[in-house]
Amino acid sequence: MEDVAREAGVSGQTVSRVVNARGYVGAATRERVEEAMHRLGYRPNSAARALRSGRFRTFGVVMFSFSSYGNQRTLDAIAVRAAQLGYALTLIPVESSAKDTVVGAFRRLEEHAVDGIIIVIEAHQLDEADIEIPSGLPVVFVDSNRTAEHPFVDTDQAQGARLATEHLLDLGHETVWHVTGPAQSYSAERRREAWQSTLEAAGRRVPEPLPGDWSASSGYEAGVALREIDGVTAVFVANDQMAIGVLRAFREVGRAVPDDVSIVGFDGLPDAAQLWPPLTTVQQHPERVGAFAVDALVAELDQGERLQTPLVGTELIVRASTAPPRQR
């Protein structure tokens, strides 16, 4: 660092600020220091920096599923935001909800040098297994249950489900059927509860929900069951993937969407706009969720404070898969 300072014609403190991304350094000065680092082949020694500062500039991420759209986008956002703030990630996947599997993931993470942990895993699994969360490190939960002990970041699932259900009722449908996500999912549970409470508040009949597992195939199975029930004119599906299966099930027997049945999904998949008909959906923002999670860890590390993390809002994207019910 002394060589870099001499080469760039700046103080050692200025080089330190550039290297550690701390404190203000003017753009021209920063560029001069970075060019000097490049010419001299200087690379910060992360082990030495950790010994000096007590910080490893690395976050651990424990994640249960990589298959869902929301988790993929959330992980991407966590990685991008962490990189912007000068942190790397150590990712520990959890293959199942079994207690030994989750405990093993935390033990593996404790073997790595991390400054904090982000847990993207169903809290049902953590609660039921009575698993001890690693102590001594900041922890943030994503898409789980709000607790007093740790910051919690999530999409406003209930708001999105209300928007979807109210949209279908406002179009004139007598009631709205629902295809749920997995029973162990807090996201699915919140969407189902909001769908039900919205119907009850409007004085409408609450049909028996049909189970799904987030996959298009499970949506198709639910759609096959729904098309055999008289009077189904509107369906709120807990995610876009399952909505694709529901759409296929109705169309393959000549039930037109939206003339015979209206369908709303949830997630805001980019490809949802390319379906026929284009899918009405609830747009969530996992990129904001991931960024909030990283910011919450950094706030606790830098200021020792728990960041107040609001629920991330949703929007209803109305497309051609919803319409007033056909006049009988």
Side-chain angles (χ1 to χ4, degrees):
M1 291 179 69
E2 292 176 359
D3 293 339
V4 172
R6 189 163 43 249
E7 178 78 9
V10 299
S11 68
Q13 185 179 32
T14 298
V15 175
S16 178
R17 287 174 176 171
V18 173
V19 169
N20 295 298
R22 288 191 171 186
Y24 173 76
V25 179
T29 302
R30 179 180 299 277
E31 183 177 357
R32 195 161 71 249
V33 171
E34 290 174 346
E35 289 176 351
M37 291 168 61
H38 179 71
R39 286 195 299 271
L40 296 175
Y42 172 78
R43 293 180 179 84
N45 186 308
S46 58
R49 290 164 66 188
L51 287 172
R52 186 183 306 110
S53 66
R55 299 273 284 275
F56 303 99
R57 310 297 295 182
T58 300
F59 292 143
V61 178
V62 178
M63 180 171 282
F64 175 66
S65 172
F66 300 97
S67 60
S68 73
Y69 171 77
N71 279 0
Q72 291 173 8
R73 290 286 306 280
T74 299
L75 179 59
D76 182 65
I78 290 171
V80 169
R81 184 59 174 161
Q84 290 173 344
L85 298 176
Y87 286 85
L89 296 183
T90 295
L91 179 62
I92 304 293
V94 177
E95 297 82 9
S96 77
S97 59
K99 179 177 179 179
D100 290 345
T101 304
V102 179
V103 170
F106 286 139
R107 286 177 178 168
R108 293 201 306 275
L109 193 58
E110 288 175 337
E111 296 173 358
H112 295 273
V114 298
D115 298 310
I117 302 172
I118 298 173
I119 299 175
V120 189
I121 187 172
E122 293 294 342
H124 278 298
Q125 297 157 356
L126 295 179
D127 294 345
E128 292 167 3
D130 192 25
I131 294 167
E132 183 178 351
I133 305 299
S135 61
L137 290 173
V139 174
V140 174
F141 284 93
V142 174
D143 187 21
S144 58
N145 197 26
R146 183 177 292 276
T147 65
E149 186 177 357
H150 300 290
F152 162 92
V153 186
D154 194 13
T155 296
D156 193 339
Q157 313 287 349
Q159 178 210 30
R162 283 195 301 271
L163 289 173
T165 307
E166 289 172 350
H167 169 65
L168 291 166
L169 294 179
D170 290 344
L171 287 172
H173 295 276
E174 293 183 3
T175 192
V176 178
W177 292 75
H178 183 46
V179 179
T180 73
Q184 73 272 19
S185 167
Y186 268 115
S187 295
E189 181 179 26
R190 293 186 180 109
R191 296 173 196 181
R192 178 187 57 76
E193 289 176 348
W195 158 79
Q196 179 174 337
S197 64
T198 302
L199 290 180
E200 291 172 345
R204 307 300 177 89
R205 178 174 65 91
V206 180
E208 185 69 24
L210 286 83
D213 62 10
W214 298 137
S215 69
S217 60
S218 72
Y220 174 75
E221 291 176 5
V224 169
L226 284 169
R227 74 192 188 192
E228 300 301 320
I229 301 173
D230 290 336
V232 176
T233 66
V235 184
F236 164 47
V237 189
N239 79 335
D240 289 347
Q241 284 292 119
M242 292 191 298
I244 293 171
V246 174
L247 178 65
R248 175 198 163 193
F250 279 101
R251 293 194 62 182
E252 72 180 7
V253 293
R255 298 278 295 278
V257 177
D259 294 339
D260 295 319
V261 60
S262 290
I263 299 174
V264 179
F266 197 116
D267 273 347
L269 287 178
D271 290 344
Q274 309 307 319
L275 298 174
W276 187 254
L279 181 67
T280 296
T281 185
V282 175
Q283 178 71 61
Q284 62 173 332
H285 299 283
E287 70 281 358
R288 298 179 192 171
V289 172
F292 272 134
V294 174
D295 289 344
L297 279 185
V298 173
E300 188 165 347
L301 285 167
D302 289 348
Q303 288 90 39
E305 298 178 356
R306 175 171 173 172
L307 187 68
Q308 294 301 314
T309 51
L311 290 174
V312 177
T314 62
E315 296 89 38
L316 181 70
I317 309 299
V318 178
R319 300 192 180 106
S321 68
T322 54
R326 187 197 298 269
Q327 297 298 319
R328 295 181 182 273

